[in-house]
Amino acid sequence: GEARDEWTIRTTLAKELMNPLGIDASRFLVATTESDELLGWAQIRPLGTNKFDPSTFDAAPGSYDVEQEANDALWQEFEEDPTPFPNGWASLPWTKEYQSYQKLAQ
């Protein structure tokens, strides 16, 4: 879209009781006839990256999730741990399997 399309997009959004503020014409795909008559438009949302490194990805601030990366690392460490973990009934705290695992963990 172009700047001249913003007014049409804004008024259409306002008629549908949608927020017309902050419209950026460059994020819209506008369909026109050969005589430049507007047929329709669609909003195109940019895909963000999952890490913030402007020199590499040109990512938006706040798009990096440190907590998710830490969770992934901890889960991977848990899955790769060779210590046998008791399952089912053996995972109850009063069983000898659970108590032996608890001693290994200390």
Side-chain angles (χ1 to χ4, degrees):
E2 298 174 0
R4 64 187 173 143
D5 301 320
E6 287 182 8
W7 176 253
T8 306
I9 295 169
R10 282 191 177 120
T11 55
T12 305
L13 288 174
K15 287 178 188 174
E16 297 296 322
L17 302 177
M18 297 172 72
N19 184 2
L21 303 176
I23 297 298
D24 180 6
S26 66
R27 292 188 177 172
F28 284 84
L29 182 62
V30 179
T32 59
T33 63
E34 289 180 8
S35 61
D36 222 20
E37 183 181 338
L38 181 67
L39 294 174
W41 47 267
Q43 184 175 12
I44 308 298
R45 293 189 174 186
L47 297 175
T49 61
N50 64 350
K51 296 192 178 189
F52 178 70
D53 185 0
S55 64
T56 307
F57 299 102
D58 195 26
S63 63
Y64 180 68
D65 189 355
V66 175
E67 185 176 338
Q68 183 62 42
E69 187 173 316
N71 285 343
D72 291 343
L74 288 172
W75 187 255
Q76 187 67 31
E77 182 182 328
F78 174 76
E79 287 183 339
E80 293 172 355
D81 189 357
T83 308
F85 189 79
N87 295 314
W89 291 108
S91 66
L92 297 173
W94 54 82
T95 62
K96 55 185 172 172
E97 292 90 355
Y98 183 90
Q99 291 172 359
S100 68
Y101 181 78
Q102 186 179 23
K103 287 177 184 173
L104 286 173
Q106 295 174 352

